[in-house]
Amino acid sequence: MRVLFTSIDGAGHFNPVALFADALVQRGDEVLLVVPSDLRDTVEKRGYPFRICGKPSPEVMGAIYKRFVTLPPEEAEIVADREVLGKHYTEAMLPALEEACREWRPDVLLHDSRAYAAGIAAARHGIPHAQIGISQAAVEEGSLQRAVPELVRHDGAIAQRLHSVPFLSRFPGSLDPSSFTDTRRFRDGVEPRRGILPDWWDGSDAPLIYLTFGSVTGQLPLAGDVFRAALEAVRGLPVRVLLTVGHGTDVSALGDIPENVHVEEWVPQADALGEAAAVVCHGGSATLLGALAAGLPTVVVPVFADQPANARLVHEAGVGLRVETGIESEDRVGKIGPADVPRIRAAVEQVLADPSYGEAAGRVAAEMRALPTIDAFVDDVFATLVGGVTGAV
């Protein structure tokens, strides 16, 4: 089987795609990845054959980010989904994807659900495709609908097609009702790894808080305010804290780091979750799914994108707490600052003190463990897409 993969940049988008690429390489299928240049080092290290596609220019993205942080959340969602994904990423990625479809002639195309250019290229070249979900199904639905006014310039039937092709999701069904016609759920099989982290806390055995705002927040103008508020919230608590800030973040700009906090640019999520007692995060889907699969109570401090929706999910499922910050209580995306410190601190103390959050998270983790792995799941997906042709060729 020849399988073409594509994703926009960002770990939350690429990592779910990479799970499938890893699984198919191991079983002997032939893969090719088409990704933006920011992912070059990542795919090279994993040894995938790849081609580089375009991405929006720094000038375009810089101008959008400046507007983005001044907008009310609903308007910011339109900018992110319609302008960034529906227009600029689609236009930038489409030429390389069409070239790969035409020259490499894959049997199947599997793509990040926000890489809308993949659905357009697949239709133009008659290649069956499936989308790998990044967020809750309802969030994906909303993003698609906001992007449609730009997407129909390329393909008038793109929305109907993306509703009907297989939608592959890591979210458990109890938390994630789906409007996509063919929703299939799987587990990623990445187990938390215990005893891997170095002793950055001089022998302390205090509970570990894994504190992260993902791979994108650190590159935004609002990053300093977000990180400083989170650091002040955990200062002096009887816990160890591991803060990851993402590649390219200026750690020196964070100011005074509390004694109980260790800062790294990046740590494998499985290593951090293996030792954590709780997670404090922005509510990005990749981080949230890792916390849920590990059965860890979670405090969500949303900044933008799908994070408010994921924060509501955490609250409603009883697996943690949502901290209302400026993103929900005021009129500007990502407005997090000193006023939010007491709320974040209280939420951390509460999830550590009340075992009900961990118990609820444990029930969700058990549901996720019962889902099929990619290896047990992909043959059925391919059978749907290409009429039963499976295995390596």
Side-chain angles (χ1 to χ4, degrees), residues 8 55-57 59-68 71 74-93 114 116 142-151 153-154:
I8 69 171
K55 61 171 290 183
S57 71
E59 292 77 18
V60 166
M61 293 302 293
I64 289 174
Y65 279 141
K66 285 181 181 178
R67 290 170 50 212
F68 184 78
L71 295 172
E74 290 184 3
E75 292 182 28
E77 287 181 336
I78 293 173
V79 169
D81 294 323
R82 184 171 302 165
E83 293 188 32
V84 176
L85 298 177
K87 177 176 171 59
H88 295 295
Y89 266 96
T90 297
E91 291 176 350
M93 296 177 70
R114 308 294 174 85
Y116 298 124
S143 296
L144 175 58
Q145 292 306 317
R146 286 186 288 271
V148 160
E150 289 292 338
L151 299 178
R153 300 174 189 269
H154 304 277

mmCIF file of all heavy atoms in Angstrom, residues 8 55-57 59-68 71 74-93 114 116 142-151 153-154:
data_model
loop_
_atom_site.group_PDB
_atom_site.id
_atom_site.type_symbol
_atom_site.label_atom_id
_atom_site.label_comp_id
_atom_site.label_asym_id
_atom_site.label_seq_id
_atom_site.Cartn_x
_atom_site.Cartn_y
_atom_site.Cartn_z
ATOM 1 N N ILE A 8 -0.434 20.165 8.665
ATOM 2 C CA ILE A 8 0.134 21.494 8.850
ATOM 3 C C ILE A 8 1.156 21.408 9.974
ATOM 4 O O ILE A 8 1.293 20.379 10.643
ATOM 5 C CB ILE A 8 -0.946 22.551 9.145
ATOM 6 C CG1 ILE A 8 -1.581 22.347 10.527
ATOM 7 C CG2 ILE A 8 -2.006 22.559 8.067
ATOM 8 C CD1 ILE A 8 -2.487 23.499 10.932
ATOM 9 N N LYS A 55 3.924 27.126 3.075
ATOM 10 C CA LYS A 55 3.180 27.553 4.255
ATOM 11 C C LYS A 55 3.040 29.069 4.174
ATOM 12 O O LYS A 55 3.772 29.735 3.427
ATOM 13 C CB LYS A 55 3.869 27.136 5.549
ATOM 14 C CG LYS A 55 5.252 27.724 5.751
ATOM 15 C CD LYS A 55 5.772 27.438 7.145
ATOM 16 C CE LYS A 55 5.015 28.238 8.183
ATOM 17 N NZ LYS A 55 5.522 28.048 9.552
ATOM 18 N N PRO A 56 2.106 29.649 4.887
ATOM 19 C CA PRO A 56 1.953 31.106 4.841
ATOM 20 C C PRO A 56 3.246 31.813 5.225
ATOM 21 O O PRO A 56 3.994 31.352 6.091
ATOM 22 C CB PRO A 56 0.840 31.374 5.849
ATOM 23 C CG PRO A 56 0.086 30.093 5.936
ATOM 24 C CD PRO A 56 1.098 29.015 5.757
ATOM 25 N N SER A 57 3.516 32.946 4.611
ATOM 26 C CA SER A 57 4.752 33.673 4.856
ATOM 27 C C SER A 57 4.760 34.266 6.265
ATOM 28 O O SER A 57 3.703 34.536 6.852
ATOM 29 C CB SER A 57 4.913 34.794 3.837
ATOM 30 O OG SER A 57 3.969 35.835 4.088
ATOM 31 N N GLU A 59 5.408 37.232 7.058
ATOM 32 C CA GLU A 59 4.769 38.542 7.015
ATOM 33 C C GLU A 59 3.252 38.411 7.152
ATOM 34 O O GLU A 59 2.609 39.169 7.891
ATOM 35 C CB GLU A 59 5.122 39.248 5.706
ATOM 36 C CG GLU A 59 6.582 39.645 5.575
ATOM 37 C CD GLU A 59 7.492 38.467 5.235
ATOM 38 O OE1 GLU A 59 6.981 37.423 4.761
ATOM 39 O OE2 GLU A 59 8.713 38.587 5.443
ATOM 40 N N VAL A 60 2.677 37.439 6.422
ATOM 41 C CA VAL A 60 1.234 37.208 6.493
ATOM 42 C C VAL A 60 0.832 36.774 7.899
ATOM 43 O O VAL A 60 -0.107 37.311 8.498
ATOM 44 C CB VAL A 60 0.802 36.156 5.458
ATOM 45 C CG1 VAL A 60 -0.620 35.662 5.746
ATOM 46 C CG2 VAL A 60 0.877 36.730 4.045
ATOM 47 N N MET A 61 1.570 35.809 8.456
ATOM 48 C CA MET A 61 1.215 35.288 9.766
ATOM 49 C C MET A 61 1.438 36.330 10.858
ATOM 50 O O MET A 61 0.663 36.429 11.810
ATOM 51 C CB MET A 61 2.013 34.021 10.061
ATOM 52 C CG MET A 61 1.651 32.844 9.157
ATOM 53 S SD MET A 61 -0.094 32.395 9.265
ATOM 54 C CE MET A 61 -0.187 31.792 10.940
ATOM 55 N N GLY A 62 2.502 37.120 10.734
ATOM 56 C CA GLY A 62 2.755 38.151 11.727
ATOM 57 C C GLY A 62 1.630 39.172 11.787
ATOM 58 O O GLY A 62 1.194 39.573 12.874
ATOM 59 N N ALA A 63 1.156 39.574 10.616
ATOM 60 C CA ALA A 63 0.049 40.536 10.575
ATOM 61 C C ALA A 63 -1.222 39.933 11.170
ATOM 62 O O ALA A 63 -1.973 40.614 11.885
ATOM 63 C CB ALA A 63 -0.188 40.975 9.136
ATOM 64 N N ILE A 64 -1.458 38.655 10.908
ATOM 65 C CA ILE A 64 -2.653 38.004 11.447
ATOM 66 C C ILE A 64 -2.561 37.869 12.966
ATOM 67 O O ILE A 64 -3.533 38.131 13.686
ATOM 68 C CB ILE A 64 -2.858 36.639 10.775
ATOM 69 C CG1 ILE A 64 -3.297 36.832 9.319
ATOM 70 C CG2 ILE A 64 -3.897 35.807 11.537
ATOM 71 C CD1 ILE A 64 -3.390 35.550 8.519
ATOM 72 N N TYR A 65 -1.393 37.482 13.480
ATOM 73 C CA TYR A 65 -1.246 37.323 14.921
ATOM 74 C C TYR A 65 -1.456 38.643 15.654
ATOM 75 O O TYR A 65 -2.025 38.683 16.755
ATOM 76 C CB TYR A 65 0.135 36.754 15.267
ATOM 77 C CG TYR A 65 0.249 35.258 15.110
ATOM 78 C CD1 TYR A 65 1.394 34.669 14.588
ATOM 79 C CD2 TYR A 65 -0.794 34.419 15.510
ATOM 80 C CE1 TYR A 65 1.502 33.299 14.449
ATOM 81 C CE2 TYR A 65 -0.699 33.048 15.373
ATOM 82 C CZ TYR A 65 0.447 32.486 14.836
ATOM 83 O OH TYR A 65 0.542 31.135 14.706
ATOM 84 N N LYS A 66 -1.007 39.733 15.069
ATOM 85 C CA LYS A 66 -1.211 41.031 15.711
ATOM 86 C C LYS A 66 -2.691 41.353 15.835
ATOM 87 O O LYS A 66 -3.139 41.903 16.844
ATOM 88 C CB LYS A 66 -0.489 42.110 14.914
ATOM 89 C CG LYS A 66 1.024 42.107 15.102
ATOM 90 C CD LYS A 66 1.670 43.221 14.304
ATOM 91 C CE LYS A 66 3.184 43.199 14.476
ATOM 92 N NZ LYS A 66 3.847 44.253 13.666
ATOM 93 N N ARG A 67 -3.458 41.026 14.802
ATOM 94 C CA ARG A 67 -4.909 41.220 14.878
ATOM 95 C C ARG A 67 -5.540 40.226 15.839
ATOM 96 O O ARG A 67 -6.443 40.561 16.604
ATOM 97 C CB ARG A 67 -5.536 41.021 13.492
ATOM 98 C CG ARG A 67 -5.223 42.105 12.484
ATOM 99 C CD ARG A 67 -5.688 41.671 11.099
ATOM 100 N NE ARG A 67 -7.067 41.206 11.112
ATOM 101 C CZ ARG A 67 -7.529 40.252 10.303
ATOM 102 N NH1 ARG A 67 -6.726 39.633 9.452
ATOM 103 N NH2 ARG A 67 -8.798 39.883 10.373
ATOM 104 N N PHE A 68 -5.071 38.991 15.791
ATOM 105 C CA PHE A 68 -5.677 37.883 16.510
ATOM 106 C C PHE A 68 -5.809 38.175 18.004
ATOM 107 O O PHE A 68 -6.859 37.952 18.608
ATOM 108 C CB PHE A 68 -4.830 36.632 16.277
ATOM 109 C CG PHE A 68 -5.366 35.372 16.878
ATOM 110 C CD1 PHE A 68 -6.399 34.685 16.276
ATOM 111 C CD2 PHE A 68 -4.818 34.853 18.043
ATOM 112 C CE1 PHE A 68 -6.885 33.505 16.831
ATOM 113 C CE2 PHE A 68 -5.294 33.689 18.598
ATOM 114 C CZ PHE A 68 -6.337 33.013 17.982
ATOM 115 N N LEU A 71 -8.732 40.506 19.263
ATOM 116 C CA LEU A 71 -10.113 40.214 18.882
ATOM 117 C C LEU A 71 -10.881 39.472 19.969
ATOM 118 O O LEU A 71 -10.292 38.692 20.726
ATOM 119 C CB LEU A 71 -10.128 39.366 17.605
ATOM 120 C CG LEU A 71 -9.592 40.021 16.340
ATOM 121 C CD1 LEU A 71 -9.490 38.990 15.219
ATOM 122 C CD2 LEU A 71 -10.498 41.170 15.911
ATOM 123 N N GLU A 74 -14.847 34.871 19.436
ATOM 124 C CA GLU A 74 -15.580 34.401 18.261
ATOM 125 C C GLU A 74 -14.979 34.938 16.970
ATOM 126 O O GLU A 74 -14.878 34.214 15.968
ATOM 127 C CB GLU A 74 -17.060 34.783 18.367
ATOM 128 C CG GLU A 74 -17.810 34.001 19.432
ATOM 129 C CD GLU A 74 -19.296 34.344 19.449
ATOM 130 O OE1 GLU A 74 -19.731 35.142 18.582
ATOM 131 O OE2 GLU A 74 -20.007 33.828 20.319
ATOM 132 N N GLU A 75 -14.564 36.190 16.971
ATOM 133 C CA GLU A 75 -13.936 36.743 15.778
ATOM 134 C C GLU A 75 -12.557 36.131 15.556
ATOM 135 O O GLU A 75 -12.146 35.912 14.403
ATOM 136 C CB GLU A 75 -13.831 38.264 15.903
ATOM 137 C CG GLU A 75 -15.170 38.976 15.878
ATOM 138 C CD GLU A 75 -15.014 40.481 15.955
ATOM 139 O OE1 GLU A 75 -13.972 40.992 15.506
ATOM 140 O OE2 GLU A 75 -15.935 41.139 16.477
ATOM 141 N N ALA A 76 -11.842 35.846 16.628
ATOM 142 C CA ALA A 76 -10.531 35.218 16.495
ATOM 143 C C ALA A 76 -10.646 33.828 15.869
ATOM 144 O O ALA A 76 -9.794 33.424 15.070
ATOM 145 C CB ALA A 76 -9.859 35.120 17.863
ATOM 146 N N GLU A 77 -11.698 33.086 16.225
ATOM 147 C CA GLU A 77 -11.903 31.766 15.623
ATOM 148 C C GLU A 77 -12.113 31.869 14.115
ATOM 149 O O GLU A 77 -11.606 31.046 13.349
ATOM 150 C CB GLU A 77 -13.109 31.076 16.267
ATOM 151 C CG GLU A 77 -12.863 30.573 17.667
ATOM 152 C CD GLU A 77 -14.079 29.873 18.238
ATOM 153 O OE1 GLU A 77 -15.213 30.154 17.773
ATOM 154 O OE2 GLU A 77 -13.911 29.050 19.146
ATOM 155 N N ILE A 78 -12.842 32.881 13.676
ATOM 156 C CA ILE A 78 -13.063 33.067 12.243
ATOM 157 C C ILE A 78 -11.742 33.373 11.544
ATOM 158 O O ILE A 78 -11.430 32.814 10.480
ATOM 159 C CB ILE A 78 -14.092 34.183 11.994
ATOM 160 C CG1 ILE A 78 -15.466 33.743 12.501
ATOM 161 C CG2 ILE A 78 -14.151 34.546 10.513
ATOM 162 C CD1 ILE A 78 -16.514 34.840 12.459
ATOM 163 N N VAL A 79 -10.947 34.226 12.146
ATOM 164 C CA VAL A 79 -9.648 34.550 11.553
ATOM 165 C C VAL A 79 -8.776 33.305 11.458
ATOM 166 O O VAL A 79 -8.160 33.023 10.417
ATOM 167 C CB VAL A 79 -8.943 35.648 12.370
ATOM 168 C CG1 VAL A 79 -7.478 35.798 11.934
ATOM 169 C CG2 VAL A 79 -9.670 36.971 12.220
ATOM 170 N N ALA A 80 -8.699 32.539 12.546
ATOM 171 C CA ALA A 80 -7.847 31.354 12.560
ATOM 172 C C ALA A 80 -8.301 30.311 11.551
ATOM 173 O O ALA A 80 -7.487 29.761 10.793
ATOM 174 C CB ALA A 80 -7.811 30.759 13.964
ATOM 175 N N ASP A 81 -9.583 30.020 11.521
ATOM 176 C CA ASP A 81 -10.075 28.931 10.683
ATOM 177 C C ASP A 81 -10.277 29.337 9.223
ATOM 178 O O ASP A 81 -9.934 28.586 8.314
ATOM 179 C CB ASP A 81 -11.380 28.371 11.258
ATOM 180 C CG ASP A 81 -11.176 27.704 12.599
ATOM 181 O OD1 ASP A 81 -10.138 27.056 12.773
ATOM 182 O OD2 ASP A 81 -12.045 27.847 13.476
ATOM 183 N N ARG A 82 -10.823 30.525 9.010
ATOM 184 C CA ARG A 82 -11.111 30.943 7.629
ATOM 185 C C ARG A 82 -9.882 31.511 6.940
ATOM 186 O O ARG A 82 -9.517 31.070 5.846
ATOM 187 C CB ARG A 82 -12.247 31.959 7.612
ATOM 188 C CG ARG A 82 -12.682 32.373 6.199
ATOM 189 C CD ARG A 82 -13.947 33.209 6.265
ATOM 190 N NE ARG A 82 -15.023 32.464 6.916
ATOM 191 C CZ ARG A 82 -16.141 33.007 7.381
ATOM 192 N NH1 ARG A 82 -16.339 34.318 7.255
ATOM 193 N NH2 ARG A 82 -17.064 32.259 7.968
ATOM 194 N N GLU A 83 -9.235 32.479 7.595
ATOM 195 C CA GLU A 83 -8.115 33.139 6.936
ATOM 196 C C GLU A 83 -6.847 32.287 6.974
ATOM 197 O O GLU A 83 -6.199 32.082 5.941
ATOM 198 C CB GLU A 83 -7.844 34.495 7.577
ATOM 199 C CG GLU A 83 -8.952 35.516 7.372
ATOM 200 C CD GLU A 83 -8.541 36.889 7.869
ATOM 201 O OE1 GLU A 83 -7.334 37.221 7.786
ATOM 202 O OE2 GLU A 83 -9.421 37.625 8.351
ATOM 203 N N VAL A 84 -6.485 31.805 8.165
ATOM 204 C CA VAL A 84 -5.216 31.084 8.289
ATOM 205 C C VAL A 84 -5.306 29.710 7.625
ATOM 206 O O VAL A 84 -4.493 29.370 6.754
ATOM 207 C CB VAL A 84 -4.804 30.949 9.764
ATOM 208 C CG1 VAL A 84 -3.540 30.115 9.895
ATOM 209 C CG2 VAL A 84 -4.579 32.329 10.373
ATOM 210 N N LEU A 85 -6.296 28.899 8.036
ATOM 211 C CA LEU A 85 -6.370 27.529 7.538
ATOM 212 C C LEU A 85 -7.096 27.447 6.199
ATOM 213 O O LEU A 85 -6.590 26.831 5.252
ATOM 214 C CB LEU A 85 -7.058 26.641 8.573
ATOM 215 C CG LEU A 85 -6.343 26.536 9.926
ATOM 216 C CD1 LEU A 85 -7.155 25.682 10.884
ATOM 217 C CD2 LEU A 85 -4.948 25.959 9.758
ATOM 218 N N GLY A 86 -8.274 28.032 6.121
ATOM 219 C CA GLY A 86 -9.058 27.904 4.902
ATOM 220 C C GLY A 86 -8.424 28.578 3.706
ATOM 221 O O GLY A 86 -8.487 28.053 2.585
ATOM 222 N N LYS A 87 -7.803 29.733 3.916
ATOM 223 C CA LYS A 87 -7.210 30.480 2.801
ATOM 224 C C LYS A 87 -5.702 30.240 2.672
ATOM 225 O O LYS A 87 -5.241 29.607 1.715
ATOM 226 C CB LYS A 87 -7.483 31.972 2.953
ATOM 227 C CG LYS A 87 -6.831 32.842 1.873
ATOM 228 C CD LYS A 87 -7.221 34.293 2.043
ATOM 229 C CE LYS A 87 -6.411 35.199 1.104
ATOM 230 N NZ LYS A 87 -6.603 34.821 -0.313
ATOM 231 N N HIS A 88 -4.921 30.717 3.646
ATOM 232 C CA HIS A 88 -3.476 30.791 3.453
ATOM 233 C C HIS A 88 -2.798 29.424 3.471
ATOM 234 O O HIS A 88 -1.947 29.145 2.613
ATOM 235 C CB HIS A 88 -2.860 31.720 4.490
ATOM 236 C CG HIS A 88 -3.292 33.148 4.345
ATOM 237 N ND1 HIS A 88 -2.977 33.906 3.238
ATOM 238 C CD2 HIS A 88 -4.054 33.952 5.142
ATOM 239 C CE1 HIS A 88 -3.493 35.112 3.361
ATOM 240 N NE2 HIS A 88 -4.160 35.172 4.507
ATOM 241 N N TYR A 89 -3.133 28.555 4.435
ATOM 242 C CA TYR A 89 -2.515 27.230 4.436
ATOM 243 C C TYR A 89 -2.976 26.409 3.232
ATOM 244 O O TYR A 89 -2.192 25.681 2.619
ATOM 245 C CB TYR A 89 -2.822 26.480 5.740
ATOM 246 C CG TYR A 89 -1.738 26.645 6.776
ATOM 247 C CD1 TYR A 89 -1.833 27.615 7.765
ATOM 248 C CD2 TYR A 89 -0.611 25.836 6.773
ATOM 249 C CE1 TYR A 89 -0.837 27.790 8.714
ATOM 250 C CE2 TYR A 89 0.396 25.990 7.724
ATOM 251 C CZ TYR A 89 0.277 26.966 8.689
ATOM 252 O OH TYR A 89 1.277 27.130 9.618
ATOM 253 N N THR A 90 -4.238 26.500 2.890
ATOM 254 C CA THR A 90 -4.736 25.730 1.750
ATOM 255 C C THR A 90 -4.024 26.153 0.473
ATOM 256 O O THR A 90 -3.542 25.304 -0.305
ATOM 257 C CB THR A 90 -6.250 25.907 1.614
ATOM 258 O OG1 THR A 90 -6.879 25.384 2.786
ATOM 259 C CG2 THR A 90 -6.781 25.165 0.389
ATOM 260 N N GLU A 91 -3.935 27.445 0.230
ATOM 261 C CA GLU A 91 -3.260 27.924 -0.977
ATOM 262 C C GLU A 91 -1.783 27.555 -0.992
ATOM 263 O O GLU A 91 -1.233 27.209 -2.047
ATOM 264 C CB GLU A 91 -3.410 29.443 -1.082
ATOM 265 C CG GLU A 91 -4.832 29.901 -1.380
ATOM 266 C CD GLU A 91 -4.968 31.413 -1.388
ATOM 267 O OE1 GLU A 91 -3.994 32.100 -0.983
ATOM 268 O OE2 GLU A 91 -6.045 31.904 -1.790
ATOM 269 N N ALA A 92 -1.128 27.589 0.162
ATOM 270 C CA ALA A 92 0.300 27.302 0.218
ATOM 271 C C ALA A 92 0.605 25.814 0.041
ATOM 272 O O ALA A 92 1.588 25.439 -0.601
ATOM 273 C CB ALA A 92 0.873 27.797 1.547
ATOM 274 N N MET A 93 -0.246 24.944 0.595
ATOM 275 C CA MET A 93 0.026 23.509 0.584
ATOM 276 C C MET A 93 -0.442 22.807 -0.685
ATOM 277 O O MET A 93 0.099 21.771 -1.068
ATOM 278 C CB MET A 93 -0.627 22.847 1.803
ATOM 279 C CG MET A 93 -0.065 23.296 3.138
ATOM 280 S SD MET A 93 -0.932 22.557 4.564
ATOM 281 C CE MET A 93 -0.391 20.842 4.418
ATOM 282 N N ARG A 114 -7.177 19.503 9.730
ATOM 283 C CA ARG A 114 -7.154 20.924 9.373
ATOM 284 C C ARG A 114 -6.336 21.185 8.101
ATOM 285 O O ARG A 114 -6.238 22.328 7.671
ATOM 286 C CB ARG A 114 -6.587 21.758 10.522
ATOM 287 C CG ARG A 114 -7.250 21.517 11.871
ATOM 288 C CD ARG A 114 -8.703 21.950 11.909
ATOM 289 N NE ARG A 114 -9.325 21.573 13.165
ATOM 290 C CZ ARG A 114 -9.263 22.294 14.280
ATOM 291 N NH1 ARG A 114 -8.614 23.446 14.298
ATOM 292 N NH2 ARG A 114 -9.852 21.870 15.383
ATOM 293 N N TYR A 116 -6.837 21.154 4.965
ATOM 294 C CA TYR A 116 -7.954 21.071 4.025
ATOM 295 C C TYR A 116 -7.494 20.891 2.580
ATOM 296 O O TYR A 116 -8.218 20.330 1.755
ATOM 297 C CB TYR A 116 -8.816 22.327 4.139
ATOM 298 C CG TYR A 116 -9.443 22.512 5.504
ATOM 299 C CD1 TYR A 116 -9.239 23.683 6.223
ATOM 300 C CD2 TYR A 116 -10.221 21.516 6.079
ATOM 301 C CE1 TYR A 116 -9.815 23.866 7.472
ATOM 302 C CE2 TYR A 116 -10.798 21.691 7.324
ATOM 303 C CZ TYR A 116 -10.591 22.868 8.021
ATOM 304 O OH TYR A 116 -11.156 23.050 9.252
ATOM 305 N N GLY A 142 -17.037 22.883 13.689
ATOM 306 C CA GLY A 142 -17.079 24.337 13.692
ATOM 307 C C GLY A 142 -15.954 24.943 12.868
ATOM 308 O O GLY A 142 -16.161 25.913 12.122
ATOM 309 N N SER A 143 -14.752 24.378 12.972
ATOM 310 C CA SER A 143 -13.619 24.885 12.197
ATOM 311 C C SER A 143 -13.875 24.740 10.707
ATOM 312 O O SER A 143 -13.595 25.659 9.918
ATOM 313 C CB SER A 143 -12.341 24.131 12.583
ATOM 314 O OG SER A 143 -12.006 24.372 13.934
ATOM 315 N N LEU A 144 -14.400 23.581 10.315
ATOM 316 C CA LEU A 144 -14.685 23.347 8.898
ATOM 317 C C LEU A 144 -15.718 24.341 8.375
ATOM 318 O O LEU A 144 -15.540 24.932 7.298
ATOM 319 C CB LEU A 144 -15.174 21.909 8.702
ATOM 320 C CG LEU A 144 -15.629 21.531 7.298
ATOM 321 C CD1 LEU A 144 -14.517 21.732 6.278
ATOM 322 C CD2 LEU A 144 -16.135 20.082 7.276
ATOM 323 N N GLN A 145 -16.780 24.558 9.128
ATOM 324 C CA GLN A 145 -17.815 25.473 8.672
ATOM 325 C C GLN A 145 -17.291 26.904 8.542
ATOM 326 O O GLN A 145 -17.680 27.640 7.619
ATOM 327 C CB GLN A 145 -19.016 25.431 9.620
ATOM 328 C CG GLN A 145 -19.775 24.112 9.584
ATOM 329 C CD GLN A 145 -20.209 23.730 8.175
ATOM 330 O OE1 GLN A 145 -20.687 24.566 7.407
ATOM 331 N NE2 GLN A 145 -20.033 22.457 7.826
ATOM 332 N N ARG A 146 -16.402 27.300 9.455
ATOM 333 C CA ARG A 146 -15.820 28.641 9.346
ATOM 334 C C ARG A 146 -14.875 28.749 8.154
ATOM 335 O O ARG A 146 -14.727 29.814 7.558
ATOM 336 C CB ARG A 146 -15.104 29.008 10.649
ATOM 337 C CG ARG A 146 -16.064 29.341 11.791
ATOM 338 C CD ARG A 146 -15.335 29.842 13.006
ATOM 339 N NE ARG A 146 -14.610 28.780 13.683
ATOM 340 C CZ ARG A 146 -15.131 28.005 14.638
ATOM 341 N NH1 ARG A 146 -16.398 28.148 15.011
ATOM 342 N NH2 ARG A 146 -14.397 27.070 15.222
ATOM 343 N N ALA A 147 -14.223 27.637 7.784
ATOM 344 C CA ALA A 147 -13.274 27.654 6.668
ATOM 345 C C ALA A 147 -13.949 27.549 5.309
ATOM 346 O O ALA A 147 -13.369 27.940 4.292
ATOM 347 C CB ALA A 147 -12.278 26.504 6.819
ATOM 348 N N VAL A 148 -15.179 27.033 5.272
ATOM 349 C CA VAL A 148 -15.852 26.730 4.002
ATOM 350 C C VAL A 148 -15.908 27.907 3.027
ATOM 351 O O VAL A 148 -15.676 27.712 1.826
ATOM 352 C CB VAL A 148 -17.259 26.150 4.266
ATOM 353 C CG1 VAL A 148 -18.159 26.278 3.040
ATOM 354 C CG2 VAL A 148 -17.136 24.684 4.657
ATOM 355 N N PRO A 149 -16.193 29.144 3.453
ATOM 356 C CA PRO A 149 -16.251 30.230 2.466
ATOM 357 C C PRO A 149 -14.981 30.401 1.644
ATOM 358 O O PRO A 149 -15.041 30.862 0.502
ATOM 359 C CB PRO A 149 -16.530 31.466 3.331
ATOM 360 C CG PRO A 149 -17.289 30.928 4.502
ATOM 361 C CD PRO A 149 -16.640 29.604 4.784
ATOM 362 N N GLU A 150 -13.837 30.037 2.197
ATOM 363 C CA GLU A 150 -12.602 30.064 1.417
ATOM 364 C C GLU A 150 -12.389 28.763 0.654
ATOM 365 O O GLU A 150 -11.944 28.766 -0.492
ATOM 366 C CB GLU A 150 -11.396 30.314 2.335
ATOM 367 C CG GLU A 150 -11.318 31.725 2.885
ATOM 368 C CD GLU A 150 -11.025 32.757 1.803
ATOM 369 O OE1 GLU A 150 -10.487 32.388 0.741
ATOM 370 O OE2 GLU A 150 -11.335 33.947 2.032
ATOM 371 N N LEU A 151 -12.726 27.632 1.265
ATOM 372 C CA LEU A 151 -12.476 26.334 0.638
ATOM 373 C C LEU A 151 -13.280 26.141 -0.639
ATOM 374 O O LEU A 151 -12.813 25.497 -1.591
ATOM 375 C CB LEU A 151 -12.779 25.200 1.628
ATOM 376 C CG LEU A 151 -11.942 25.187 2.909
ATOM 377 C CD1 LEU A 151 -12.390 24.041 3.814
ATOM 378 C CD2 LEU A 151 -10.460 25.061 2.587
ATOM 379 N N ARG A 153 -13.848 28.037 -2.930
ATOM 380 C CA ARG A 153 -13.187 28.630 -4.088
ATOM 381 C C ARG A 153 -12.400 27.567 -4.856
ATOM 382 O O ARG A 153 -12.152 27.708 -6.058
ATOM 383 C CB ARG A 153 -12.238 29.751 -3.646
ATOM 384 C CG ARG A 153 -12.917 30.896 -2.902
ATOM 385 C CD ARG A 153 -11.867 31.874 -2.380
ATOM 386 N NE ARG A 153 -12.455 32.863 -1.485
ATOM 387 C CZ ARG A 153 -12.933 34.029 -1.883
ATOM 388 N NH1 ARG A 153 -12.887 34.360 -3.167
ATOM 389 N NH2 ARG A 153 -13.439 34.892 -1.007
ATOM 390 N N HIS A 154 -11.994 26.502 -4.157
ATOM 391 C CA HIS A 154 -11.228 25.421 -4.778
ATOM 392 C C HIS A 154 -12.087 24.203 -5.086
ATOM 393 O O HIS A 154 -11.835 23.474 -6.046
ATOM 394 C CB HIS A 154 -10.089 24.982 -3.841
ATOM 395 C CG HIS A 154 -9.171 26.081 -3.421
ATOM 396 N ND1 HIS A 154 -8.120 26.520 -4.208
ATOM 397 C CD2 HIS A 154 -9.150 26.851 -2.300
ATOM 398 C CE1 HIS A 154 -7.480 27.502 -3.579
ATOM 399 N NE2 HIS A 154 -8.085 27.713 -2.415
#
